[in-house]
Amino acid sequence: MPELPEVETVRRTLTPLLTGRRIVSVEAVRPEVLAHPLAEEFCALAADRNILELGRRGKYLLIKLEGGASVIVHLRMTGRLLCTPAIHERKPHTHVVFRLDNGQELRYSDVRRFGRLWLQQSGENDDFSGIHKLGLEPFDAAFNADYLRDKLSARRINIKQALLDQSVIAGLGNIYVDEVLYQVKLHPCRPVADLKKKDWQALAAAVPEVLLQAIANNGTTFRDYLDGEGKEGSHMPYLEAYGRRGEPCRRCGEQIERMKVAGRSSYFCPICQKEK
DNA sequence: AGATGCACCTGTATGC
DNA sequence: TGCATACAGGTGCATC
């Protein structure tokens, strides 16, 4: 479910609820979602610690604790982090519960159980969560046309796969890749080797633009996504391509098509986004 | 290197 | 209604 805008919205909504709070204890209802260290140690290490601040890297949420440790969360498809009063009934699929010092709980739930949590200790090298393999943040000053061209132009892949590669751009996923390609009028199957300087420039501009717009609308709720307070995102009506099969292109009126590219459902306008 | 398929899971929508 | 199948904001691995 969540791509960069959704994770960023979770971060923003949880920040006032968690900053300065103390984690009293941690309960692993389904220990296997705690990927590192093993559940027992994870719970012991997180317990009795203050939360300093929340960060984000790509699609990872970072909960920074006193003493230099961090809880790292990846929501994958259906993961949710919700802050809620401890007296409220637990919803099904609640897998990890962080009890806080103010009668609230931070609850991790995940219907499909693809998501994972890690705890990085102070001084520990994080070679387990996947963060070490990420490329640039789209809002990094070094994220520009040259960066994209240098990373990608020699590869024999199409632009959809390229933009989904987290080691190139951290945080783009299936929805926003389709939105970016629509904005810059590139067909998802276009080989990256074909792209010209102006294409790289357009991509470098469109990626942060598309993501910022989605963040401004608190992310996209297509199915499952909820922010840290349990609210849906409001960006869906603004999507131009994703999920609009058979609906008219807002530029030319042609029907939006869907096809599988890189194993993912991909939506595009067959007139505006020529395969060539 | 890259393409493909599958695995991880459950819920929901669709078609017959 | 019931049952089978497809599909879902992600990632990692195995195989050709």
Side-chain angles (χ1 to χ4, degrees):
Chain A
M1 86 170 147
E3 307 180 31
L4 187 154
E6 290 73 39
V7 179
E8 177 62 19
T9 303
V10 171
R11 189 192 71 76
R12 292 182 183 189
T13 52
L14 285 178
T15 289
L17 303 174
L18 296 183
T19 304
R21 297 263 61 91
R22 190 168 193 81
I23 298 172
V24 174
S25 63
V26 184
E27 179 184 349
V29 182
R30 292 204 79 121
E32 66 270 27
V33 307
L34 302 175
H36 173 95
L38 293 177
E40 191 181 342
E41 192 183 354
F42 184 110
C43 295
L45 287 168
D48 213 27
R49 297 237 205 185
N50 284 331
I51 298 170
L52 299 181
E53 59 175 343
L54 300 195
R56 180 192 57 73
R57 179 81 172 92
K59 301 172 192 171
Y60 293 82
L61 186 80
L62 313 172
I63 304 173
K64 298 183 182 173
L65 307 180
E66 65 175 327
S70 291
V71 172
I72 301 168
V73 185
H74 198 305
L75 303 170
R76 294 280 175 94
M77 293 290 267
T78 54
R80 287 175 179 168
L81 274 175
L82 288 168
C83 200
T84 170
I87 55 167
H88 283 192
E89 193 180 349
R90 278 186 203 174
K91 297 270 169 54
H93 309 293
T94 298
H95 306 316
V96 183
V97 177
F98 297 82
R99 291 190 194 86
L100 305 177
D101 60 355
N102 61 346
Q104 298 276 119
E105 287 179 348
L106 176 66
R107 296 175 179 174
Y108 174 75
S109 70
D110 188 350
V111 167
R112 295 176 73 179
R113 269 181 278 141
F114 291 170
R116 289 292 178 267
L117 287 76
W118 302 262
L119 191 144
Q120 179 185 17
Q121 291 180 251
S122 174
E124 184 180 21
N125 187 29
D126 174 13
D127 58 357
F128 39 82
S129 72
I131 285 180
H132 60 296
K133 297 179 190 165
L134 294 178
L136 284 182
E137 287 290 315
F139 310 122
D140 193 300
F143 183 84
N144 57 33
D146 287 341
Y147 170 77
L148 290 176
R149 191 180 49 188
D150 291 349
K151 273 260 180 184
L152 291 170
S153 59
R155 296 184 64 185
R156 282 205 279 258
I157 55 175
N158 62 48
I159 188 61
K160 169 117 189 184
Q161 289 174 264
L163 296 179
L164 283 171
D165 186 339
Q166 301 298 296
S167 73
V168 178
I169 308 172
L172 271 192
N174 202 36
I175 290 182
Y176 298 112
V177 165
D178 282 6
E179 295 302 302
V180 166
L181 292 175
Y182 178 89
Q183 291 303 326
V184 303
K185 301 184 180 178
L186 286 172
H187 191 285
C189 293
R190 278 286 290 281
V192 289
D194 283 3
L195 300 192
K196 304 292 187 281
K197 187 173 183 183
K198 68 165 177 33
D199 296 315
W200 295 117
Q201 287 171 336
L203 284 166
V207 167
E209 196 176 302
V210 163
L211 294 173
L212 280 174
Q213 200 59 54
I215 292 169
N217 290 318
N218 302 311
T220 302
T221 297
F222 211 83
R223 288 192 171 73
D224 305 298
Y225 165 70
L226 297 178
D227 70 20
E229 300 172 321
K231 294 203 301 279
E232 296 186 346
S234 55
H235 191 65
M236 190 163 74
Y238 303 98
L239 296 177
E240 308 268 18
Y242 187 87
R244 297 192 68 241
R245 177 170 57 163
E247 293 177 55
C249 169
R250 294 195 184 113
R251 281 189 300 236
C252 76
E254 182 68 20
Q255 289 189 5
I256 299 293
E257 286 184 9
R258 183 178 79 162
M259 71 183 292
K260 284 263 184 220
V261 182
R264 316 294 301 278
S265 270
S266 303
Y267 299 83
F268 63 99
C269 171
I271 299 295
C272 296
Q273 298 167 262
K274 289 288 187 206
E275 186 162 8
K276 254 194 309 201

